[in-house]
Amino acid sequence: MKERTRILLIDDEESGREALTLILRNAGHHVTGAASGREAAQHLARDKFDIIITDLFLPDTNGIDILKDVKNDSPLTEVILITGHASAETAVRAMKEGAYDYITKPLNVDELRIIIAKAVEKHQLLSENVYLRKQLRDKFEFANIIGASPSMQQVFALMKRIVKTDSTVLIAGESGTGKEIVAKAIHFNGSRRDRPFIAVHCGAIPENLLESELFGYVKGAFTGAVRDKIGKFEAANGGTIFLDEIGTMPLQLQTKLLRVLQEQEVERVGSTRPIKIDVRIISATNLDLAEEVKKGTFREDLYYRLNVIPLGLPPLRDRVEDILPLAKHFLAKYCKEMQRRRMTLATEAVEALEGYRWGGNVRELENVMERVVALTEADTITLHDLPPNIREESLTRVTERGVDLVKVIAEIERSMITDALALTDGVKARAAALLNLNRTTLVEKMRRLGMPL
């Protein structure tokens, strides 16, 4: 059921107030009336309103003062002013103070209905925007980023210092380590949290399109430019732009980016008019930019401009303590999405996950957890539910947890015997030959391993 719009109607003329109240209630709104500024203040102290309609002239105050007070206490509440003494000066002042609109007496009811409908729409959009931004802030709180390992604690300590500044940040780390999540956490915990966060994946945009994506273009700049279009930098004005895979940016664009950093202004493609911007730049790379500078593929002056505060993210293989908490988090996430009961990890599965090197880092771990939730029927994930590459690597790697060598050797033998039997259609003599064993030795091993004969 749609919630009714809450309106406070302030008018000292009782007959007009009651008539308008009736009209608005018949239109489906929840209306509270007030005959003075004092009475309105009492209602405002007790209740929240979406829209306030107030006469400009009241016995004990005026609509402009009410407007100021409302905007100070509740910026999302829309205020509509009504007066029988219209003047351009008063209207301009009201709009400057944040009034949504201004209507004169005698009221045109249809006009007022249209104004209220538009005010309601604006209020809802602003409220949803505030709600979504709060959700984003909550999502990217440092406490919600999983990382209890010493290396990640060092990252968090540096991030807490970074958010107090407006400096340019360069995040370095292998693919899948969570560079964009860290960039969002810096933005949504910093002073620009209520302004835009715009992410640009430089490596995913064709070179011939990247310039217009970043800086925008003017009508007629090239074939197909039928109108002006703002770029990502302008869209991020006041907020943060995140330039992922910055190391893939062509040298020609690196020069233009350097100018943006130096001058804090951009020029749209096809224009010579500079546009001032106020944008924080956070960039990320999985390349060694210092090496790219030596190779001549990355500008040295741009590198130093971007690398004001370097932030390195450790690969998952160097933060083994975080693998189990991350795995449990992703299990819970995908169990919820796929509407199945909470799944658990058997000890042998945990050991395999912690023994794997995770070349794709956290992103690879998340993909594996999604796969096992989708494909495993039981509620407990065992070693054999994990992908073959994880099972095999875990058998041959020693971690700080230690390893059961006898068990590992048994698993290797079981796996190789199974493969040999599969290749020979179960003929033990031929399987034994593939394994360079006597048939009797193979049978004895299968019996010891508990394999069906």
Side-chain angles (χ1 to χ4, degrees):
M1 183 178 177
K2 189 176 178 181
E3 189 175 343
R4 292 195 296 168
T5 304
R6 297 158 299 176
I7 298 176
L8 175 61
L9 176 60
I10 313 168
D11 192 343
D12 59 325
E13 293 182 8
E14 186 175 355
S15 59
R17 185 177 70 250
E18 289 180 352
L20 190 51
T21 297
L22 184 60
I23 291 169
L24 294 174
R25 283 177 178 165
N26 287 338
H29 304 300
H30 183 282
V31 185
T32 300
S36 65
R38 181 180 299 173
E39 188 179 348
Q42 292 171 349
H43 288 301
L44 288 166
R46 290 195 303 266
D47 301 310
K48 293 288 184 184
F49 296 93
D50 304 314
I51 295 174
I52 293 172
I53 303 172
T54 178
D55 199 347
L56 183 59
F57 298 102
L58 295 165
D60 54 350
T61 186
N62 63 75
I64 297 290
D65 288 340
I66 290 175
L67 169 63
K68 289 179 180 178
D69 290 341
V70 167
K71 286 298 179 182
N72 282 333
D73 294 337
S74 179
L76 297 183
T77 300
E78 298 299 341
V79 180
I80 300 168
L81 290 173
I82 300 175
T83 182
H85 309 278
S87 77
E89 184 182 345
T90 309
V92 168
R93 186 182 170 202
M95 301 306 279
K96 280 185 176 179
E97 295 292 348
Y100 178 76
D101 213 333
Y102 188 95
I103 192 167
T104 60
K105 293 179 180 179
L107 297 181
N108 181 320
V109 174
D110 290 334
E111 182 185 359
L112 182 60
R113 283 196 182 113
I114 292 170
I115 292 172
I116 290 173
K118 290 182 177 178
V120 168
E121 184 179 7
K122 182 184 176 187
H123 174 80
Q124 289 173 342
L125 286 172
L126 289 173
S127 298
E128 287 171 10
N129 189 276
V130 169
Y131 172 71
L132 290 173
R133 286 191 174 277
K134 183 181 183 304
Q135 279 194 317
L136 281 171
R137 286 198 297 272
D138 292 345
K139 181 179 180 181
F140 292 108
E141 281 184 350
F142 294 158
N144 290 334
I145 301 177
I146 296 170
S149 59
S151 57
M152 282 304 292
Q153 289 303 307
Q154 289 177 10
V155 169
F156 292 147
L158 181 54
M159 286 170 66
K160 287 175 182 175
R161 293 197 293 273
I162 290 173
V163 297
K164 297 175 183 176
T165 75
D166 214 21
S167 301
T168 303
V169 181
L170 176 62
I171 305 172
E174 296 177 6
S175 293
T177 48
K179 296 186 287 295
E180 185 167 347
I181 290 174
V182 168
K184 286 179 177 176
I186 291 171
H187 171 77
F188 286 107
N189 287 277
S191 60
R192 296 176 181 259
R193 64 176 68 90
D194 293 321
R195 305 299 297 164
F197 176 91
I198 304 293
V200 182
H201 298 276
C202 301
I205 301 173
E207 184 176 331
N208 61 326
L209 297 179
L210 185 56
E211 182 178 4
S212 58
E213 278 293 309
L214 289 173
F215 307 125
Y217 55 80
V218 296
K219 181 179 178 181
F222 49 82
T223 303
V226 295
R227 57 179 177 80
D228 290 359
K229 181 175 184 279
I230 69 168
K232 301 295 187 183
F233 271 94
E234 283 183 77
N237 197 26
T240 300
I241 190 165
F242 173 59
L243 302 174
D244 198 8
E245 298 182 36
I246 188 71
T248 65
M249 182 175 285
L251 279 167
Q252 161 202 348
L253 280 187
Q254 291 178 29
T255 303
K256 294 196 172 187
L257 178 58
L258 180 63
R259 185 171 183 276
V260 172
L261 282 160
Q262 290 172 334
E263 308 296 334
Q264 282 289 293
E265 62 184 29
V266 296
E267 286 181 9
R268 295 181 185 175
V269 176
S271 171
T272 57
R273 183 175 67 86
I275 299 168
K276 281 290 182 185
I277 56 168
D278 171 24
V279 176
R280 180 183 200 170
I281 296 179
I282 300 178
S283 50
T285 181
N286 57 11
L287 301 174
D288 184 339
L289 288 190
E291 282 299 315
E292 298 302 309
V293 168
K294 291 178 183 177
K295 292 178 189 175
T297 59
F298 203 85
R299 289 185 62 115
E300 184 175 21
D301 45 6
L302 177 59
Y303 171 62
Y304 289 121
R305 281 277 183 177
L306 294 173
N307 198 35
V308 176
I309 300 182
L311 178 61
L313 295 187
L316 189 54
R317 62 182 170 274
D318 290 347
R319 39 184 289 220
V320 177
E321 305 95 321
D322 296 331
I323 291 174
L324 180 55
L326 282 165
K328 287 181 175 179
H329 167 75
F330 293 133
L331 273 183
K333 173 184 174 181
Y334 288 109
C335 284
K336 183 178 180 180
E337 284 188 12
M338 299 181 197
Q339 297 183 332
R340 58 174 302 168
R341 288 191 301 182
R342 189 75 170 259
M343 301 175 77
T344 57
L345 288 158
T347 302
E348 58 189 13
V350 173
E351 291 173 352
L353 293 174
E354 293 183 340
Y356 183 62
R357 294 192 66 83
W358 298 108
N361 292 291
V362 179
R363 188 182 297 127
E364 183 185 4
L365 175 58
E366 179 173 6
N367 291 342
V368 168
M369 291 299 101
E370 181 179 5
R371 186 189 316 172
V372 296
V373 171
L375 301 180
T376 305
E377 293 184 1
D379 291 336
T380 300
I381 297 164
T382 67
L383 177 65
H384 297 288
D385 296 317
L386 299 177
N389 59 320
I390 294 178
R391 296 201 304 267
E392 290 164 9
E393 184 174 313
S394 70
L395 291 174
T396 57
R397 188 177 176 213
V398 180
T399 67
E400 292 181 357
R401 277 178 170 265
V403 65
D404 185 336
L405 188 59
V406 174
K407 183 179 177 182
V408 167
I409 292 172
E411 286 293 338
I412 293 173
E413 287 186 327
R414 181 182 288 107
S415 176
M416 296 183 77
I417 291 170
T418 300
D419 290 345
L421 289 169
L423 288 170
T424 59
D425 295 324
V427 179
K428 295 184 182 66
R430 289 170 57 197
L434 288 176
L435 296 168
N436 199 25
L437 296 173
N438 294 323
R439 183 184 184 283
T440 53
T441 304
L442 174 61
V443 171
E444 179 57 34
K445 282 183 179 293
M446 291 174 66
R447 184 178 287 111
R448 177 170 53 80
L449 294 168
M451 299 177 70
L453 299 175

